[in-house]
């Protein structure tokens, strides 16, 4: 039952927002009593934390799997972006913003974990790209990995990028292209252009 509550709550939080969903809403949706929920989670904050870590683990494992496929580094970043968006329901309810506003402690914890996973992933991605001659040799790898994380985090701020003006999927595509065009060699640019063109067909 705990797993079912966790999965349903995660889906509702991502679709409707951490603030919007109450324990009553969750109980009604599942056809159970609030008492049943509280038998597994002491309060809403504990449930939000469990759901947040659940999503983090899912995405982290998915990223690890994609990296293990040893794809072309440019293609790898697009695959990771697509996978993350699928598991965040395209972030329709601005979950990161709501988490930051209403559960700042949980937000900071998960952001720290995201930083570790993402910078490690991008460091490895950049190294592979340099070895293959599709990323520039003179890159400061640590800088690139951190500025990438910083950018990915910033574009999720709906005060800066309102969703009615910047739909999430196209915003992520624009950011990824912006990132890659700054680090590719002519050889890498050719691969990137081919990938972008194939995605538009």
């Amino acid at each position: 039952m705990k797993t079912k509550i966790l999965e349903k709550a995660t889906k509702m939080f991502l679709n409707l927002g951490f603030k919007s969903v109450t324990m009553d809403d969750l109980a009604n949706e599942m056809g159970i009593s609030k008492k049943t929920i509280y038998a597994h989670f002491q309060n809403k904050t504990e449930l939000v934390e469990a759901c947040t870590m659940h999503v983090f683990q899912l995405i982290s494992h998915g990223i690890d799997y994609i990296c293990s496929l040893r794809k072309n580094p440019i293609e790898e970043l697009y695959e990771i972006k697509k996978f993350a968006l699928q598991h965040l329901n395209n972030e329709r309810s601005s979950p990161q913003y709501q988490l930051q506003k209403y559960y700042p402690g949980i937000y900071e914890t998960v952001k720290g974990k995201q930083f570790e996973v993402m910078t490690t992933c991008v460091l490895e991605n950049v190294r592979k790209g340099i070895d293959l001659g599709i990323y520039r040799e003179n890159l400061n790898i640590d800088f690139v990995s951190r500025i990438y994380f910083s950018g990915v985090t910033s574009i999720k701020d709906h005060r800066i990028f309102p969703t009615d003006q910047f739909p999430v999927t196209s915003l992520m595509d624009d950011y990824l292209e912006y990132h890659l065009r700054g680090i590719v060699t002519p050889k890498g640019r050719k691969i990137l252009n081919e990938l972008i063109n194939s995605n538009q067909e």
Side-chain angles (χ1 to χ4, degrees):
M1 179 54 78
K2 185 172 184 177
T3 302
K4 286 182 179 178
I5 293 170
L6 184 66
E7 289 174 350
K8 175 58 76 172
T10 299
K11 193 172 182 180
M12 290 180 73
F13 285 144
L14 289 177
N15 280 330
L16 304 168
F18 290 105
K19 175 69 173 173
S20 308
V21 178
T22 65
M23 297 299 246
D24 282 316
D25 292 334
L26 179 58
N28 290 337
E29 184 71 21
M30 294 190 71
I32 60 176
S33 68
K34 276 202 297 184
K35 188 176 178 181
T36 303
I37 297 173
Y38 287 124
H40 299 284
F41 301 95
Q42 289 185 3
N43 50 49
K44 185 179 173 182
T45 300
E46 187 178 300
L47 179 59
V48 167
E49 184 172 20
C51 291
T52 304
M53 294 314 299
H54 175 63
V55 172
F56 170 76
Q57 293 295 342
L58 270 177
I59 292 176
S60 295
H61 291 148
I63 288 173
D64 287 345
Y65 173 72
I66 291 168
C67 291
S68 75
L69 298 177
R70 313 298 292 177
K71 287 175 177 279
N72 171 294
I74 294 173
E75 187 182 349
E76 181 179 271
L77 287 181
Y78 275 95
E79 286 296 316
I80 288 170
K81 179 222 61 169
K82 187 165 73 174
F83 174 79
L85 280 176
Q86 285 171 349
H87 280 77
L88 291 171
N89 293 353
N90 291 330
E91 302 194 329
R92 285 187 291 248
S93 64
S94 326
Q96 177 173 290
Y97 173 70
Q98 289 202 7
L99 196 66
Q100 185 176 6
K101 184 174 181 181
Y102 300 109
Y103 300 93
I106 298 172
Y107 170 78
E108 288 301 328
T109 298
V110 78
K111 187 178 178 184
K113 290 179 178 292
Q114 286 173 337
F115 175 76
E116 290 174 24
V117 170
M118 199 178 292
T119 49
T120 301
C121 170
V122 176
L123 279 170
E124 184 59 29
N125 181 277
V126 175
R127 288 192 186 106
K128 282 193 297 185
I130 291 172
D131 289 344
L132 290 169
I134 60 176
Y135 294 162
R136 291 186 286 112
E137 285 185 2
N138 63 341
L139 293 173
N140 180 331
I141 297 176
D142 286 323
F143 171 78
V144 171
S145 66
R146 288 164 187 261
I147 203 72
Y148 181 76
F149 174 79
S150 178
V152 165
T153 305
S154 297
I155 63 172
K156 291 178 182 176
D157 188 333
H158 293 250
R159 293 165 298 182
I160 302 173
F161 296 98
T163 49
D164 57 336
Q165 193 176 347
F166 299 95
V168 176
T169 304
S170 57
L171 181 61
M172 280 300 298
D173 280 335
D174 288 345
Y175 178 69
L176 196 48
E177 182 180 350
Y178 175 82
H179 164 74
L180 285 165
R181 289 207 183 278
I183 65 174
V184 292
T185 59
K187 180 181 174 183
R189 191 179 306 119
K190 186 180 177 185
I191 294 168
L192 176 60
N193 288 338
E194 288 171 356
L195 191 60
I196 290 171
N197 290 334
S198 68
N199 285 341
Q200 288 174 345
E201 288 173 0

